[in-house]
Amino acid sequence: MDQSDLPQNHWQLSERARKLTSSAIREILKVTERPEVISFAGGLPAPVTFPAERMREASDRILRDNPAAALQYSATEGYLPLREWVAKRHSVNGATIRPSQVLITTGSQQALDLLGKVLIDPASPVLVETPTYLGALQSFSMYEPRYVQVPTDEQGLIPAGLTPALTAGARLLYAQPNFQNPTGRRLPIERRRALAEFAKKSAFPVIEDDPYGALDYAGDPLPTILSMAPDHVVHLGSFSKVLAPGLRVGYIVAPEELHFKLVQAKQATDLHTPSFTQRIVHEVVKDGFLDTHVPTIRALYRDQCEAMLAALARCMPEGVTWNRPEGGMFIWVALPAGIDSMKLLEAAVAQNVAFVPGAPFFANEGQGNTLRLSFVTVPPAKIDEGVARLAALIRERI
Amino acid sequence: MDQSDLPQNHWQLSERARKLTSSAIREILKVTERPEVISFAGGLPAPVTFPAERMREASDRILRDNPAAALQYSATEGYLPLREWVAKRHSVNGATIRPSQVLITTGSQQALDLLGKVLIDPASPVLVETPTYLGALQSFSMYEPRYVQVPTDEQGLIPAGLTPALTAGARLLYAQPNFQNPTGRRLPIERRRALAEFAKKSAFPVIEDDPYGALDYAGDPLPTILSMAPDHVVHLGSFSKVLAPGLRVGYIVAPEELHFKLVQAKQATDLHTPSFTQRIVHEVVKDGFLDTHVPTIRALYRDQCEAMLAALARCMPEGVTWNRPEGGMFIWVALPAGIDSMKLLEAAVAQNVAFVPGAPFFANEGQGNTLRLSFVTVPPAKIDEGVARLAALIRERI
């Protein structure tokens, strides 16, 4: 049905809704659902990593042993045993996290929405990395902030760039220190320490969004900023990348004073995350399953990352650069200046290969010659083929 | 831990978050979790109505046959077969609802949040019934509207009260025509027709929130306002009262022009409702299960409603009045003027019986002598005992 055939009610929308425009990228990427398309666009975890059989057993046990609790309304804060598990998981490196700091969310995306609700007024400054996670921009934008880009380099956010002039009046600083989406960058330990010290003195919270932390290929994670300043940092975690995203279970660890406001905001937002999915996650993880499961995901993604790095090295013309991630799901590519990755995407999709252009990941001014490649959904043979096609298209444009 | 022991970060909160105060009622009602308390407070469906065994079979089938799809990220709009089922369910009384009008939400509460996001700016007028659903006030308040109370009588909202003076500049009209929470009132057919006509000419949407529609004791539902004006009404539905609330699956039916904005807002809010829970709901309902299941819930609630009505008639002193619901989960009680139901609640909780005071259900000026009784969670013998205790306390105050 054509939009023009629809009855036009001419209802007045909110200011924030009027700013929402249809994403050109989203429209182009719709075709990537066709099976013949080699898509490096989506951040979809490889389905072979989903512990489906374990979840089936867990679901069965829960609905057999305690259906009334799993199917009834439950506390907004989340399922207490899962909150306790999260608190314990983060009580490392000398830090103590209390279950009263943990709020279970309907995926990590909801954590971003709740933080926006509780911290952002129209036009208030919000500090983000350059570039930053597109989904965070989407969530925060609902609360109409003014974005301020924090300087970064190939190691990520530069703490020395957080000058009083840049940060004045800010409501929050948002960062992904581990294998950032979209750049794949990991923040070094010294910068983490500097950010933790900054958080302790700051008039606004440092938000450490960490969906990819467990996916470090060497199995040697850097300490979280949360562990360095447990009462001054807000940490977002997710089970989407280590179990399965379709359950939509994530969490926020926050100081109690903010936690309490987040709980109230969540109550108004969806009452609580499904009791059943929370219990499935707890049932699966409670006995140490992740300790054996996560290394298998790491190994898979490391191999696929290597395959893509090798294909890039083999195929890409001079002038194209990229990073070598130590974990996560993404490689960040810079094309020679003047090549617009948005236009490249149109040509690529015509050749049945897809990626996400870099520009939308920049809050304000972006770099139109960048793009994000995901290597986790497509098997190595297809990675080779897709990168070769992409390289040919870039070569044509140089 | 005492709030004063916490590190005070003095982070600046948003205007909306600063307005959130701890609810006195919520604090009092916390004690109702004690097993010795007879609670008429919660709107918790009776767990005996949860089709746990069917859900167990459905979960098992889904995770055996199609785990990758059930556990992966999925479309923001929701699981297409479930959207088709909803569209078909509402294509009655000559109306045609298209799947493209249906958005699956993380419970009906999320529908309220999304409507607030997309329709409400600070200080914009929002029309609500007198009284209205507390949860809707909580959701909408996040977007800082100015509430305008629409006049009601014992049959519900009075359409003739929707004068140009009252409705000028409004962004939405919110109503629960079926067995309203908190009053249990059902809107008569003529008023539904009047509201449908109003919706067709209105500059803002009429929101028909309908979580209790299936629970009419006579099994003879009145047509929805949606069916009378399918391109001009926004209808909210839920599986919480007919299957189980812990799955958090609800939906919005809206004209495509609004649907599209709601989808964008939902993407920013939680990406999508869990793929797994949506598939469980579809698997359970797809072959007509509700046609046999819902009558059993109706019969149970009708009996418990009768038990409570009988107990009220037997125990309550003169001057106390209440309605006789034709469906749903609630009875609305008015005490003699001058008896404050908030103070009564404190005394009642000390006697191990609980209810929800009426005042918070009024957007602006409320009636402090009203209260809401839920009869669905407590079995008949306990209903008798709880009502008797409550009546004794009221008698003392007359």
Side-chain angles (χ1 to χ4, degrees):
Chain A
M1 175 175 302
D2 192 86
Q3 192 78 14
S4 59
D5 293 339
L6 300 171
Q8 291 298 318
N9 284 302
H10 299 298
W11 294 332
Q12 191 178 342
L13 302 178
S14 64
E15 194 65 43
R16 72 183 74 78
R18 272 177 282 163
K19 284 179 193 158
L20 287 167
T21 50
S22 184
S23 155
I25 293 172
R26 210 181 167 207
E27 294 308 306
I28 297 171
L29 290 179
K30 272 188 181 165
V31 304
T32 64
E33 287 157 25
R34 297 193 321 244
E36 65 270 27
V37 174
I38 298 174
S39 178
F40 305 136
L44 304 184
V48 294
T49 68
F50 303 160
E53 198 47 38
R54 239 164 215 275
M55 288 189 185
R56 194 157 80 94
E57 287 161 14
S59 301
D60 195 67
R61 213 152 42 229
I62 291 162
L63 289 179
R64 196 188 55 212
D65 297 346
N66 204 356
L71 298 172
Q72 186 59 282
Y73 285 117
S74 60
T76 301
E77 291 85 345
Y79 181 49
L80 186 57
L82 183 58
R83 295 169 65 209
E84 289 170 340
W85 185 91
V86 169
K88 197 171 165 209
R89 187 101 178 156
H90 284 285
S91 293
V92 289
N93 303 324
T96 303
I97 302 297
R98 300 169 290 276
S100 56
Q101 290 178 266
V102 179
L103 170 63
I104 306 296
T105 57
T106 308
S108 222
Q109 189 73 29
Q110 186 184 52
L112 299 168
D113 176 60
L114 297 178
L115 288 166
K117 268 199 177 90
V118 161
L119 291 169
I120 303 175
D121 283 312
S124 51
V126 159
L127 303 169
V128 294
E129 293 170 289
T130 312
T132 187
Y133 172 50
L134 178 55
L137 293 177
Q138 288 175 327
S139 287
F140 296 157
S141 291
M142 287 281 132
Y143 305 98
E144 304 170 84
R146 180 171 65 77
Y147 290 113
V148 177
Q149 296 191 167
V150 176
T152 57
D153 60 18
E154 66 288 344
Q155 298 192 306
L157 188 148
I158 303 169
L162 294 167
T163 60
L166 192 84
T167 64
R171 293 299 178 84
L172 62 90
L173 163 61
Y174 172 78
Q176 285 189 344
N178 282 321
F179 321 119
Q180 193 225 27
N181 183 351
T183 63
R185 291 169 185 159
R186 172 152 75 164
L187 201 69
I189 182 91
E190 320 77 60
R191 293 195 185 181
R192 290 171 191 244
R193 291 209 186 97
L195 265 182
E197 289 312 306
F198 180 84
K200 287 179 190 168
K201 288 173 295 191
S202 174
F204 53 84
V206 170
I207 315 289
E208 179 182 44
D209 185 11
D210 192 23
Y212 314 108
L215 304 179
D216 66 299
Y217 303 148
D220 184 23
L222 293 179
T224 60
I225 304 170
L226 176 73
S227 72
M228 299 169 176
D231 289 314
H232 303 277
V233 166
V234 176
H235 182 96
L236 312 187
S238 171
F239 294 96
S240 290
K241 310 306 186 290
V242 294
L243 284 182
L247 296 180
R248 313 299 306 122
V249 181
Y251 56 86
I252 310 179
V253 180
E256 277 90 347
E257 54 187 304
L258 185 66
H259 169 85
F260 181 68
K261 290 287 178 183
L262 291 166
V263 170
Q264 289 179 295
K266 180 165 167 72
Q267 191 180 30
T269 301
D270 69 355
L271 292 182
H272 62 82
T273 294
S275 325
F276 185 38
T277 53
Q278 292 188 64
R279 282 167 187 260
I280 294 173
V281 167
H282 180 254
E283 189 71 14
V284 170
V285 302
K286 67 178 182 181
D287 296 321
F289 172 67
L290 292 183
D291 298 341
T292 54
H293 181 60
V294 170
T296 66
I297 307 177
R298 279 183 201 138
L300 178 75
Y301 290 179
R302 184 183 56 223
D303 289 353
Q304 302 206 177
C305 181
E306 287 300 331
M308 185 171 274
L309 288 168
L312 288 167
R314 196 167 54 241
C315 305
M316 282 295 166
E318 197 146 339
V320 179
T321 59
W322 58 89
N323 59 331
R324 169 171 283 278
E326 297 169 283
M329 302 168 49
F330 306 108
I331 293 173
W332 185 241
V333 178
L335 307 174
I339 301 187
D340 180 344
S341 64
M342 190 70 207
K343 283 183 189 146
L344 180 68
L345 176 62
E346 287 177 50
V349 163
Q351 302 272 322
N352 287 334
V353 58
F355 57 85
V356 182
F361 294 94
F362 293 83
N364 304 324
E365 311 79 46
Q367 292 161 338
N369 65 324
T370 54
L371 58 93
R372 187 194 78 177
L373 298 178
S374 161
F375 46 78
V376 299
T377 325
V378 177
K382 292 271 185 186
I383 287 176
D384 285 354
E385 193 183 329
V387 170
R389 279 189 216 164
L390 208 53
L393 287 168
I394 294 168
R395 205 176 294 275
E396 285 173 18
R397 280 162 178 73
I398 290 181
Chain B
M1 177 177 301
D2 193 86
Q3 193 77 13
S4 59
D5 293 340
L6 300 171
Q8 292 298 316
N9 285 302
H10 299 297
W11 294 333
Q12 191 179 341
L13 301 178
S14 64
E15 194 67 41
R16 71 184 74 79
R18 273 177 282 161
K19 283 180 193 156
L20 288 167
T21 50
S22 183
S23 155
I25 293 172
R26 208 181 169 207
E27 293 308 306
I28 297 171
L29 290 179
K30 272 187 180 165
V31 303
T32 64
E33 287 157 24
R34 296 193 322 243
E36 65 271 27
V37 175
I38 299 174
S39 178
F40 305 135
L44 304 183
V48 294
T49 68
F50 302 160
E53 197 47 37
R54 241 164 213 276
M55 289 189 184
R56 193 156 80 93
E57 287 161 16
S59 302
D60 194 66
R61 213 151 42 229
I62 291 162
L63 289 179
R64 195 188 55 213
D65 297 346
N66 204 354
L71 297 173
Q72 186 58 283
Y73 286 117
S74 60
T76 301
E77 291 85 345
Y79 181 50
L80 186 58
L82 183 58
R83 295 170 65 209
E84 289 170 341
W85 184 92
V86 169
K88 195 169 167 211
R89 187 99 180 159
H90 284 283
S91 293
V92 289
N93 304 325
T96 303
I97 301 297
R98 301 169 290 277
S100 56
Q101 290 178 266
V102 180
L103 170 62
I104 307 296
T105 57
T106 309
S108 223
Q109 188 72 29
Q110 186 184 52
L112 299 167
D113 177 60
L114 297 178
L115 288 166
K117 268 200 176 88
V118 161
L119 292 168
I120 303 175
D121 282 313
S124 51
V126 159
L127 303 169
V128 294
E129 293 171 291
T130 312
T132 187
Y133 172 50
L134 177 56
L137 293 177
Q138 288 175 327
S139 287
F140 296 156
S141 291
M142 287 281 131
Y143 305 97
E144 305 172 81
R146 180 171 64 78
Y147 290 114
V148 178
Q149 296 190 165
V150 176
T152 57
D153 60 18
E154 67 288 345
Q155 299 191 307
L157 188 148
I158 303 169
L162 294 167
T163 60
L166 192 84
T167 64
R171 292 300 177 84
L172 62 89
L173 162 61
Y174 172 78
Q176 284 189 345
N178 283 321
F179 321 120
Q180 193 223 28
N181 183 351
T183 64
R185 291 169 185 159
R186 171 152 74 163
L187 201 69
I189 182 89
E190 319 78 58
R191 293 195 186 182
R192 290 171 190 244
R193 291 208 186 97
L195 265 183
E197 289 313 306
F198 179 84
K200 287 179 190 167
K201 289 173 296 190
S202 173
F204 53 86
V206 170
I207 315 289
E208 179 182 44
D209 185 11
D210 192 24
Y212 313 109
L215 304 180
D216 66 300
Y217 302 149
D220 185 24
L222 293 179
T224 60
I225 304 171
L226 175 74
S227 71
M228 300 170 175
D231 289 314
H232 303 277
V233 166
V234 176
H235 182 95
L236 311 188
S238 172
F239 294 97
S240 291
K241 309 305 187 290
V242 294
L243 284 182
L247 295 180
R248 312 300 305 122
V249 181
Y251 55 85
I252 310 178
V253 180
E256 276 90 347
E257 54 188 301
L258 186 66
H259 169 84
F260 181 68
K261 290 286 179 184
L262 291 166
V263 170
Q264 289 180 296
K266 180 165 167 74
Q267 192 181 30
T269 301
D270 68 355
L271 292 182
H272 62 82
T273 295
S275 326
F276 184 38
T277 53
Q278 292 188 63
R279 282 166 187 260
I280 294 173
V281 167
H282 180 254
E283 189 71 15
V284 170
V285 303
K286 67 178 183 184
D287 296 321
F289 172 68
L290 292 183
D291 298 340
T292 54
H293 181 60
V294 170
T296 66
I297 307 178
R298 277 183 201 138
L300 178 74
Y301 290 179
R302 184 183 56 223
D303 290 352
Q304 301 206 176
C305 182
E306 287 300 332
M308 185 172 273
L309 287 168
L312 288 168
R314 197 166 53 241
C315 305
M316 283 294 166
E318 197 145 338
V320 179
T321 59
W322 58 89
N323 60 330
R324 169 171 282 278
E326 297 169 282
M329 301 168 50
F330 306 108
I331 293 173
W332 184 242
V333 177
L335 307 174
I339 301 187
D340 180 343
S341 65
M342 190 69 206
K343 284 185 189 146
L344 181 68
L345 176 62
E346 287 178 52
V349 164
Q351 302 273 321
N352 287 334
V353 58
F355 57 85
V356 182
F361 293 94
F362 293 83
N364 303 324
E365 312 79 47
Q367 292 161 338
N369 65 325
T370 54
L371 59 93
R372 186 193 79 176
L373 298 178
S374 160
F375 46 77
V376 299
T377 326
V378 177
K382 291 272 185 185
I383 287 176
D384 285 355
E385 194 184 327
V387 170
R389 278 188 217 164
L390 208 52
L393 287 168
I394 294 168
R395 204 177 292 275
E396 284 172 18
R397 280 161 178 73
I398 292 181

